[in-house]
Amino acid sequence: WYVPLNYGGFDFEIPAGCIVEKNSKIVARYPDGSFGLSMENEAIPANQKIAFEKARSYATRYKLTDPKVEKKKIGGVAGAMAVGKLENFTVTVLILPVDDQQVTTVLMTTPGREDWTRHLIESMKH
């Protein structure tokens, strides 16, 4: 069961039961700590190449184990995605450039909750 949200020009769905804080950025977390989301919108011009480099730098900054960084089209926007492990979490970073803005999304899930991340990404529409 999922609940619709929108931020930074994107509509998407998060797991029902998440606690959501929305101000200049959006933070959502499931009460048991098995799922977390942070989305931030920066007013900087970007493109897919810049998004890819930023995704790579996030993977390094978070010290992700076995990171996979790739250019990816999400919700009709050409951006980039980094996925790796941090302790027992799977961390997914999405960098999506839109007009003269960049939406950065960081998702953290425990094993068995990866389908929640997959659903959120698949539900993203710009």
Side-chain angles (χ1 to χ4, degrees):
W1 187 40
Y2 296 91
V3 177
L5 270 182
N6 73 347
Y7 180 81
F10 287 91
D11 292 319
F12 53 93
E13 296 178 344
I14 64 168
C18 282
I19 299 160
V20 179
E21 298 168 38
K22 199 171 184 181
N23 42 50
S24 63
K25 67 178 182 177
I26 192 167
V27 176
R29 56 191 162 73
Y30 202 69
D32 68 2
S34 63
F35 175 88
L37 155 77
S38 169
M39 288 181 102
E40 194 165 2
N41 197 358
E42 295 177 87
I44 54 170
N47 57 34
Q48 191 172 37
K49 184 177 184 232
I50 293 168
F52 180 80
E53 292 305 321
K54 276 224 161 167
R56 185 181 299 183
S57 74
Y58 271 93
T60 303
R61 185 182 326 159
Y62 292 152
K63 296 178 172 66
L64 299 183
T65 306
D66 301 325
K68 180 181 173 192
V69 183
E70 61 185 337
K71 291 180 178 176
K72 193 159 180 80
K73 196 166 192 170
I74 298 170
V77 175
M81 180 169 84
V83 179
K85 296 281 186 195
L86 179 63
E87 294 171 10
N88 72 328
F89 287 94
T90 298
V91 177
T92 304
V93 180
L94 307 174
I95 309 287
L96 301 171
V98 180
D99 302 324
D100 55 353
Q101 300 178 72
Q102 174 184 284
V103 177
T104 301
T105 304
V106 179
L107 298 146
M108 293 181 71
T109 53
T110 55
R113 296 290 198 204
E114 289 89 357
D115 55 326
W116 286 3
T117 294
R118 197 167 29 259
H119 181 89
L120 185 144
I121 293 169
E122 289 170 359
S123 74
M124 287 184 89
K125 304 284 182 270
H126 181 263

